[in-house]
Amino acid sequence: MTTRARFLSSLAVAGLLAFALQPAQAAELSLAKLKLKIDLSQTTVSGISSGAYMAGQFQVAYSDIVKGAGIVAGGPYACAEVSPGGLAPAVVALKRCMDTSLGAPDVPALVANAQAREKAKDIDPLANLAQSRIYLFNGDNDKTVTRPVAEATAQFYKAVGVPDANFKYVKLPKAAHAYITDGYGAACDFIPKEGQKSEYINNCQYDQAGDILKHLYPDTRTPNAPEAAKKVALFDQTPFVGDTSRTGMATSGYIYVPEACQQGQTCKIHVAFHGCQMPANLIGDHFATKTDYNRWADVNNLVVLYPQIDSTAKPSSNPKACWDWFAYTGYDFARKGGFQMTAIRKMLGALADEQ
């Protein structure tokens, strides 16, 4: 072999080795092709911060199928839609539905707005909420979504018919504005400074995922395993989200399918919504893997869906990669017709093989 031939051969081998050593790119699943047996009537949702608002509005809008919601550091349904003096929803969100410099959320007005949405058939009947189960969480050290907002959330749910027996309100000392875990994340009272990196997952020695699921599903079994049995999988969001520059959503999301569900047992779905600055393109898969839903899912025939926002999709109107609870995709953000609401409902339909 000539010197040139040996040189080219060595380049080819090096290239093959380099290719072989690259991290494997996981193939994205098609939700419609999973062919799971899903009982949609037992769907539940939860979320942190903007994800909490999204969980609450999705649960109220689709209460025919969504039987419970975990609201972690969030406020009442369509809070930013009810504007004192015609203020823009984004202003109301900041100044009435996070801090309360414009006053606390007006619960009677929010209830009246929900009733108007019901009358217009923008949401399912509010009477369904009498059978709903609600978990509400607000940390004593939460400086982002303040205690009066959480109190308004409790008042809203009671006003629309959620009975005391179905309602759980947890107030945790030291807890800051974050999703709470028992073992992973920053210090319980950690509050990032402006521009400081944070996953918004804090360790308060409290298994929030377990507490949420045990409340939403009273027959929940407690897992013995400290970790989930499987890894989360990427799924293709593109059939559901349309133009990402319009919806603000990512092209991929995460899903966890326990072995029992994959083998044909009938399963339920829990949708977990990340918060602002928590999508996959900012913190990787940590919301989908470090919040502990998956090990609970293993022993409870529960598929967990982690849909994703894209922080680059709408940089001017949604710079912090939040779910839409303040009308950046349109004024129907909290109704069945909203872009993100419709996308999530279609994902559920695909998983349940709705025709």
Side-chain angles (χ1 to χ4, degrees):
M1 181 181 290
T2 66
T3 301
R4 176 179 171 79
R6 284 195 297 269
F7 175 70
L8 292 174
S9 178
S10 65
L11 282 179
V13 171
L16 287 171
L17 285 173
F19 178 80
L21 292 172
Q22 290 296 313
Q25 296 298 311
E28 292 186 356
L29 299 175
S30 165
L31 295 186
K33 293 181 179 179
L34 287 175
K35 301 300 181 185
L36 304 175
K37 292 182 180 178
I38 297 295
D39 181 0
L40 269 189
S41 71
Q42 297 302 310
T43 299
T44 59
V45 294
S46 66
I48 161 71
S49 191
S50 73
Y53 271 107
M54 182 67 182
Q57 65 196 35
F58 192 83
Q59 186 254 341
V60 170
Y62 290 105
S63 60
D64 276 355
I65 63 167
V66 182
K67 300 308 180 186
I71 311 295
V72 179
Y77 171 77
C79 185
E81 185 175 4
V82 176
S83 173
L87 293 173
V91 176
V92 180
L94 288 170
K95 299 301 181 183
R96 181 162 255 191
C97 306
M98 293 173 65
D99 71 40
T100 53
S101 55
L102 291 178
D106 183 342
V107 175
L110 291 170
V111 172
N113 180 64
Q115 291 168 339
R117 299 279 70 79
E118 174 189 29
K119 186 175 181 180
K121 301 189 183 303
D122 293 327
I123 62 175
D124 287 341
L126 292 170
N128 293 339
L129 299 177
Q131 282 74 50
S132 292
R133 301 185 68 83
I134 303 297
Y135 166 102
L136 175 64
F137 179 90
N138 187 256
D140 288 354
N141 202 32
D142 191 334
K143 310 300 183 186
T144 303
V145 176
T146 54
R147 184 58 53 84
V149 178
E151 297 294 338
T153 309
Q155 294 164 20
F156 173 85
Y157 275 114
K158 299 293 182 65
V160 293
V162 176
D164 288 343
N166 289 7
F167 191 84
K168 182 172 186 175
Y169 187 1
V170 178
K171 306 167 191 175
L172 195 65
K174 293 188 177 181
H177 186 74
Y179 192 90
I180 307 304
T181 72
D182 183 12
Y184 177 83
C188 185
D189 59 356
F190 175 67
I191 302 173
K193 297 177 182 178
E194 185 66 33
Q196 184 178 7
K197 184 175 176 58
S198 176
E199 293 184 346
Y200 293 94
I201 303 173
N202 288 6
N203 174 18
C204 296
Q205 289 82 52
Y206 168 58
D207 186 350
Q208 189 157 65
D211 207 18
I212 288 172
L213 293 177
K214 284 188 294 184
H215 181 69
L216 300 186
Y217 299 110
D219 59 349
T220 291
R221 298 171 57 199
T222 300
N224 292 320
E227 303 287 342
K230 302 172 64 179
K231 294 182 178 180
V232 293
L234 281 170
F235 76 92
D236 182 10
Q237 290 193 161
T238 57
F240 315 104
V241 305
D243 180 355
T244 58
S245 69
R246 188 70 181 87
T247 64
M249 295 183 68
T251 58
S252 301
Y254 294 105
I255 187 170
Y256 187 80
V257 182
E259 191 64 32
C261 303
Q262 199 164 336
Q263 295 302 320
Q265 292 191 29
T266 300
C267 291
K268 306 176 288 286
I269 298 176
H270 182 78
V271 185
F273 294 100
H274 63 74
C276 300
Q277 302 184 74
M278 295 174 69
N281 67 320
L282 295 180
I283 69 167
D285 66 3
H286 285 190
F287 183 71
T289 60
K290 304 297 187 182
T291 49
D292 263 358
Y293 284 109
N294 302 336
R295 71 186 189 97
W296 286 85
D298 280 331
V299 296
N300 288 290
N301 287 11
L302 186 66
V303 173
V304 188
L305 191 71
Y306 300 94
Q308 297 289 311
I309 292 296
D310 183 348
S311 67
T312 66
K314 296 179 77 68
S316 59
S317 59
N318 186 31
K320 294 193 175 181
C322 304
W323 287 95
D324 188 6
W325 65 280
F326 51 92
Y328 72 77
T329 64
Y331 284 96
D332 58 355
F333 66 92
R335 310 173 200 177
K336 286 183 174 182
F339 282 113
Q340 294 177 2
M341 301 280 279
T342 300
I344 303 303
R345 181 60 183 87
K346 287 180 178 178
M347 291 177 191
L348 297 180
L351 282 168
D353 198 24
E354 286 182 335
Q355 303 299 320

